[in-house]
């Protein structure tokens, strides 16, 4: 089951670019602001290298559950199928898969078009997303109400994709 996201969270100014531009003490202050907004405690703020640049990672604990701070902003998501060209090896591998009964489309691009979301630009709010998956304690249809009772919600498909 996907991870839960806290309902109350508004750091509208916090984009990934802004988050990356902060020094560590400023990142700690932002993490504390996020924790304060949801009645939680900051458990981690650290800086790691990501794609050749520093990236802060922050975690907030609330009611015994740990959440990661995911900056918002305008982001590109999805797969640009028109710009992608499969390698000859990928084409052979897909043909082999088809011959073994895997795959449902006649060619690899069609197969990926069925499985992957299209390239798009979206604007997302900053969220705190649970670090651990939720345990399924009831029927899947009942989980949104169970999460809501704890001040949580399911992440949207775009929030989930951005956080991955």
């Amino acid at each position: 089951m996907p991870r839960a996201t806290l309902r109350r969270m508004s750091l509208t100014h916090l984009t990934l670019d802004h988050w990356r531009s902060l020094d560590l003490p400023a990142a700690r202050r932002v993490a504390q602001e996020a924790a304060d907004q949801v009645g939680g405690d900051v458990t981690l703020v650290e800086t790691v290298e990501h794609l050749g640049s520093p990236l802060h990672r922050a975690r907030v604990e609330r009611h015994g559950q740990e959440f990661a701070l995911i900056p918002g902003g305008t982001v590109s998501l999805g797969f640009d199928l028109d710009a992608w060209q499969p390698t000859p090896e990928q084409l052979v591998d897909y043909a082999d898969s088809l011959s073994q009964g895997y795959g449902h489309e006649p060619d690899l691009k069609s197969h990926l078009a069925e499985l992957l979301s299209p390239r798009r630009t979206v604007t997302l709010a900053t969220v705190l997303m649970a670090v651990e998956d939720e345990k399924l304690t009831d029927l899947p249809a009942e989980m949104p109400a169970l999460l809501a009772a704890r001040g949580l919600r399911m992440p949207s498909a775009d929030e989930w994709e951005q956080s991955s």
Side-chain angles (χ1 to χ4, degrees), residues 1-7 65 67-68 70 77 120 124-134 143-144 147-148 151-164:
M1 167 159 260
R3 295 178 174 111
T5 301
L6 283 168
R7 284 181 167 273
Q65 188 172 14
F67 296 85
I70 310 293
L77 300 174
R120 64 207 178 280
L124 301 171
T126 297
V127 297
L128 286 170
M129 188 168 296
V131 173
E132 299 287 330
D133 292 342
E134 286 289 317
M143 287 306 289
L147 292 172
L152 303 171
R153 64 173 175 79
M154 297 290 292
S156 70
D158 289 341
E159 288 170 335
W160 181 250
E161 187 172 340
Q162 186 216 12
S163 71
S164 300

Side-chain angles (χ1 to χ4, degrees), residues 19-71:
W19 182 237
R20 283 183 180 264
S21 73
L22 300 175
D23 60 17
L24 191 55
R28 283 189 179 109
R29 286 191 299 276
V30 170
Q32 187 61 57
E33 179 184 344
D36 291 346
Q37 288 181 20
V38 298
D41 297 305
V42 175
T43 59
L44 172 80
V45 179
E46 65 181 2
T47 304
V48 297
E49 186 171 319
H50 178 258
L51 301 175
S53 300
L55 175 68
H56 306 299
R57 293 192 305 196
R59 289 190 177 182
V60 171
E61 182 273 329
R62 178 179 169 264
H63 303 300
Q65 188 172 14
E66 202 163 23
F67 296 85
L69 179 64
I70 310 293

Side-chain angles (χ1 to χ4, degrees), residues 10 35 42 69 77 79 84 90 99 104 110 113 123 125 128 130 132 136 145-146:
S10 177
V42 175
L69 179 64
L77 300 174
F79 185 68
W84 178 75
Q90 290 170 324
S99 71
H104 302 288
S110 298
T123 301
L128 286 170
E132 299 287 330
L136 193 59
L146 292 172

Side-chain angles (χ1 to χ4, degrees), residues 111-128:
H111 179 70
L112 293 176
E114 285 294 315
L115 296 176
L116 302 175
S117 64
R119 191 77 169 158
R120 64 207 178 280
T121 300
V122 298
T123 301
L124 301 171
T126 297
V127 297
L128 286 170

